[in-house]
Amino acid sequence: EPEVTQTPSHQVTQMGQEVILRCVPISNHLYFYWYRQILGQKVEFLVSFYNNEISEKSEIFDDQFSVERPDGSNFTLKIRSTKLEDSAMYFCASQATVYNSPLHFGNGTRLTVT
Amino acid sequence: QKEVEQDPGPLSVPEGAIVSLNCTYSNSAFQYFMWYRQYSRKGPELLMYTYSSGNKEDGRFTAQVDKSSKYISLFIRDSQPSDSATYLCAVSRQLTFGSGTQLTVLP
């Protein structure tokens, strides 16, 4: 069964550094998402992406965050200057169509900011 | 009021028990309802989804939606130790998640 893959599984970075989290969505899916889960808290929506542009974003997704689909297969989340509070699991998800189809999640990247 | 409320548990049941997991939501405009299962250090895995009131069954799992009371449920029959995980309800297209209920099924 096709799946969403995320790399790396664990990323450690120093505060103020830039990180790029990578995702390969399911190949025929059209909608892409990033979610965040701080340890012990709920899964939170960050951003959705369709047709090479952001379709929706949450309050969490501020100017430090950006997303890109550089080559038609990868979908990346960039955090420009990481803060301690960015430490979390970051999940990528993809969806075939926006209506009546579920989101499929990757296994996440654990980001640790020291 | 939170958009989605879910009892975080933890919930422990003996093997073979029927498990009932519940969420309430606040926005009557929500149309899509999903249940995800999340094992430790893994991504959420889709279990069930529906966009109408009523019941939807898949094997040992039954999802129930009551739009009039804004209440969604997941029932697990003949629960197994392998069902031990955190169960997340989610609503709307971009998914607003509940906080998750941690379930342990004891052998």
Side-chain angles (χ1 to χ4, degrees):
Chain A
E1 185 175 328
E3 59 182 21
V4 176
T5 56
Q6 290 186 243
T7 56
S9 58
H10 190 189
Q11 174 86 49
V12 181
T13 189
Q14 288 190 325
M15 195 168 52
Q17 295 297 304
E18 174 183 287
V19 293
I20 297 176
L21 310 182
R22 302 180 191 282
C23 170
V24 179
I26 295 173
S27 63
N28 61 345
H29 283 193
L30 301 176
Y31 297 85
F32 313 109
Y33 302 80
W34 284 100
Y35 288 79
R36 178 182 82 175
Q37 187 175 31
I38 294 171
L39 185 64
Q41 298 186 24
K42 64 167 59 179
V43 178
E44 301 173 290
F45 168 76
L46 291 179
V47 65
S48 59
F49 190 86
Y50 168 70
N51 200 25
N52 283 321
E53 60 183 27
I54 292 173
S55 46
E56 289 179 84
K57 60 182 180 179
S58 71
E59 292 176 352
I60 303 168
F61 194 88
D62 61 22
D63 292 343
Q64 293 299 311
F65 292 89
S66 62
V67 290
E68 196 175 39
R69 189 160 160 79
D71 56 13
S73 61
N74 291 286
F75 179 50
T76 62
L77 174 70
K78 182 194 290 187
I79 309 174
R80 259 181 280 281
S81 178
T82 51
K83 304 186 283 288
L84 294 176
E85 54 265 37
D86 293 327
S87 296
M89 284 290 291
Y90 288 81
F91 294 107
C92 172
S94 70
Q95 185 181 31
T97 63
V98 71
Y99 297 109
N100 301 348
S101 72
L103 273 67
H104 295 266
F105 285 81
N107 280 328
T109 292
R110 178 174 300 279
L111 176 65
T112 302
V113 182
T114 60
Chain B
Q1 182 184 13
K2 292 181 183 177
E3 286 193 297
V4 183
E5 302 228 31
Q6 183 176 8
D7 184 347
L11 179 63
S12 290
V13 300
E15 184 175 354
I18 296 174
V19 176
S20 172
L21 305 169
N22 307 295
C23 287
T24 58
Y25 62 95
S26 58
N27 190 339
S28 57
F30 290 148
Q31 296 182 42
Y32 305 102
F33 309 95
M34 303 183 192
W35 284 96
Y36 284 83
R37 177 174 61 195
Q38 187 176 25
Y39 293 111
S40 180
R41 298 181 182 273
K42 296 287 189 182
E45 171 196 6
L46 179 71
L47 280 177
M48 307 275 293
Y49 76 99
T50 183
Y51 48 94
S52 58
S53 278
N55 292 355
K56 182 176 180 180
E57 191 172 316
D58 183 1
R60 296 186 294 111
F61 298 91
T62 300
Q64 188 176 78
V65 175
D66 182 345
K67 289 187 177 181
S68 63
S69 57
K70 298 197 272 293
Y71 195 84
I72 57 177
S73 301
L74 178 71
F75 299 97
I76 307 173
R77 289 186 298 281
D78 186 25
S79 55
Q80 304 295 310
S82 57
D83 295 328
S84 299
T86 297
Y87 289 80
L88 308 165
C89 62
V91 299
S92 89
R93 179 173 54 79
Q94 71 181 37
L95 295 190
T96 301
F97 280 90
S99 55
T101 300
Q102 186 179 343
L103 171 68
T104 301
V105 180
L106 304 169

